[in-house]
Amino acid sequence: MDVPILYEDNHLLVVQKPVNIPVQGDNSGDKDLLTYLKEDIKYRYQKPGNVYLGLVHRLDRPVGGAIVFAKTSKAASRLSDQVRRNAMGRTYYAVVHGKPKQPSNRLVDYLYKNRQKNIVSIVSKNHKEAKKAVLDYTVIASKDGLSLVSVQLQTGRPHQIRVQLAGMGTPIWGDQKYGQQYSQVGQQIALWAQSLTLEHPVKKTILTLESPLPTTYPWDIW
């Protein structure tokens, strides 16, 4: 597993998650990123016993890009608090079909997750299991029937970006789940965690870590 390290010190580990790798163990039984990184730390630093690595936030399995882990329980607690307070900036890039009607906008929807089918739907806010989902997007460029969009999450709901962008009529290129009518089997979803901005849990400095966008189609249009 090739996992580029974007930043590391005694408290944090920020890496570029490979696509199609689960962040943590799931029913597939495939090797997950968290387990791999623990093994890597143990090997690189010759650590005896178990290695602590705290999961702070997640990325969907097909999505790649920047993700942060905590190397101490104190860092895990403080970073998790940043996520809870929406104080951790998370910017994603997506290639979508079509062109959003507004060049930039805030999307506010209510989402329901069917856990048995692992599918998220937009529902009425009166739905008993509805969770409010908010994101801001900006269209960066459009070409060949596709648009490159920057997305900033204001909430962290499962499949949120994929569902909300599809909900406004511009599904993400290659999304087999929420853009089936546009996608072909085998296409890699064009959604990428481009950057993270966070307060260092100990030093209190502001860190912005960027993960370079893929160079394959459809990213290479721009």
Side-chain angles (χ1 to χ4, degrees), residues 190-207:
L191 177 60
W192 193 260
Q194 190 269 335
S195 71
L196 285 171
T197 299
L198 54 93
E199 181 183 81
H200 193 284
V202 176
K203 300 176 183 178
K204 303 302 181 183
T205 54
I206 302 300
L207 299 175

Side-chain angles (χ1 to χ4, degrees), residues 178-218:
Y178 301 105
Q180 302 97 323
Q181 68 272 39
Y182 295 96
S183 303
Q184 299 177 12
V185 176
Q187 287 181 335
Q188 175 61 48
I189 187 172
L191 177 60
W192 193 260
Q194 190 269 335
S195 71
L196 285 171
T197 299
L198 54 93
E199 181 183 81
H200 193 284
V202 176
K203 300 176 183 178
K204 303 302 181 183
T205 54
I206 302 300
L207 299 175
T208 296
L209 294 312
E210 297 186 347
S211 179
L213 296 177
T215 55
T216 53
Y217 184 85

Side-chain angles (χ1 to χ4, degrees), residues 68-88:
V68 60
F69 295 88
K71 294 175 72 175
T72 67
S73 58
K74 178 186 289 187
S77 176
R78 292 177 177 177
L79 289 172
S80 295
D81 183 61
Q82 288 184 47
V83 173
R84 182 184 59 79
R85 294 185 289 106
N86 194 34
M88 184 180 293

Side-chain angles (χ1 to χ4, degrees), residues 157-169:
R157 307 303 183 193
H159 302 183
Q160 178 181 340
I161 297 174
R162 299 162 67 182
V163 176
Q164 288 193 275
L165 292 183
M168 72 170 183

Side-chain angles (χ1 to χ4, degrees), residues 42-174:
K42 186 177 181 67
Y43 172 77
R44 285 191 291 122
Y45 296 105
Q46 297 295 298
K47 283 184 172 288
N50 294 327
V51 171
Y52 179 87
L53 196 62
L55 183 62
V56 177
H57 65 118
R58 294 169 175 80
L59 294 176
D60 290 351
R61 178 171 181 150
V63 179
I67 184 170
V68 60
F69 295 88
K71 294 175 72 175
T72 67
S73 58
K74 178 186 289 187
S77 176
R78 292 177 177 177
L79 289 172
S80 295
D81 183 61
Q82 288 184 47
V83 173
R84 182 184 59 79
R85 294 185 289 106
N86 194 34
M88 184 180 293
R90 291 169 288 172
T91 299
Y92 294 76
Y93 276 45
V95 179
V96 301
H97 290 275
K99 185 177 181 179
K101 294 179 181 179
Q102 302 290 334
S104 62
N105 201 6
R106 168 164 287 192
L107 301 183
V108 180
D109 294 294
Y110 291 84
L111 306 183
Y112 161 69
K113 182 175 183 178
N114 184 322
R115 299 187 181 280
Q116 289 184 325
K117 297 182 178 180
N118 193 30
I119 291 178
V120 177
S121 305
I122 295 177
V123 297
S124 164
K125 68 177 181 180
N126 296 321
H127 189 288
K128 64 179 181 179
E129 295 184 50
K131 298 288 182 66
K132 189 176 182 179
V134 183
L135 64 77
D136 299 317
Y137 75 82
T138 300
V139 179
I140 298 172
S142 297
K143 185 178 180 181
D144 299 338
L146 300 173
S147 296
L148 179 63
V149 177
S150 170
V151 174
Q152 288 197 314
L153 283 179
Q154 303 301 326
T155 56
R157 307 303 183 193
H159 302 183
Q160 178 181 340
I161 297 174
R162 299 162 67 182
V163 176
Q164 288 193 275
L165 292 183
M168 72 170 183
T170 53
I172 299 174
W173 189 94

